[in-house]
Amino acid sequence: MLQGYLLYFDTEIMKIQAEILQLHDETTEVLDQELKQVLQAEGYDFFDYSEEIAILVDDQGFEKPLNPVFEIVSAFGDRSLLAGRLIFVRNVENEYSTDIGSIKYEDVFNLRIKLEINLIGLTNQL
């Protein structure tokens, strides 16, 4: 199982919510399908939050109507806009690529204390 940290905007209570996810990762295809399901997306992009942490986000998030738009300040100080649900995972360096790995509890603790995130609005209706 791969552990991720999900952030999303709950429209029923009008609040940013967070939860720890347990994702099946027996194969790349299984993990890919689980990530797409949780993100409510057909595909996803990677955003580097820090050297160790990546954020997965819907690659079509800005094109979907009434999707929450977040402004995030990365650990590098860069401000970025991301639309939709966000999954935080660890970067795992391999010889030829960077894969994703389980987020650690200390990562979640540090994110809860240091993460600069603001809901700045919603995408337009189509």
Side-chain angles (χ1 to χ4, degrees):
M1 296 291 267
L2 183 135
Q3 189 167 278
Y5 184 56
L6 173 67
L7 287 180
Y8 63 98
F9 183 70
D10 188 329
T11 55
E12 290 185 20
I13 62 172
M14 302 301 283
K15 186 176 177 184
I16 296 175
Q17 296 288 85
E19 61 185 77
I20 301 293
L21 300 173
Q22 298 293 329
L23 302 165
H24 295 276
D25 64 345
E26 294 84 6
T27 67
T28 311
E29 292 79 21
V30 168
L31 178 59
D32 183 59
Q33 287 303 316
E34 287 228 2
L35 290 169
K36 289 176 184 175
Q37 181 180 1
V38 171
L39 291 169
Q40 300 172 349
E42 293 179 25
Y44 49 89
D45 284 329
F46 293 82
F47 168 78
D48 284 326
Y49 173 74
S50 68
E51 293 284 331
E52 301 85 20
I53 307 292
I55 302 171
L56 306 181
V57 62
D58 184 350
D59 62 358
Q60 303 294 313
F62 284 102
E63 297 172 21
K64 294 180 178 175
L66 303 175
N67 218 4
V69 178
F70 299 101
E71 179 183 56
I72 292 188
V73 179
S74 75
F76 310 111
D78 302 328
R79 292 185 179 277
S80 297
L81 299 179
L82 303 175
R85 294 170 152 237
L86 310 175
I87 302 175
F88 291 77
V89 294
R90 285 194 69 82
N91 286 318
V92 178
E93 299 290 331
N94 291 318
E95 186 175 350
Y96 300 109
S97 66
T98 302
D99 292 331
I100 62 172
S102 287
I103 197 144
K104 298 177 181 177
Y105 286 108
E106 59 264 25
D107 298 329
V108 173
F109 179 77
N110 288 328
L111 285 168
R112 292 186 63 88
I113 292 172
K114 299 177 184 175
L115 179 63
E116 292 183 53
I117 184 170
N118 291 304
L119 176 70
I120 63 167
L122 300 172
T123 56
N124 293 326
Q125 289 182 298
L126 296 179

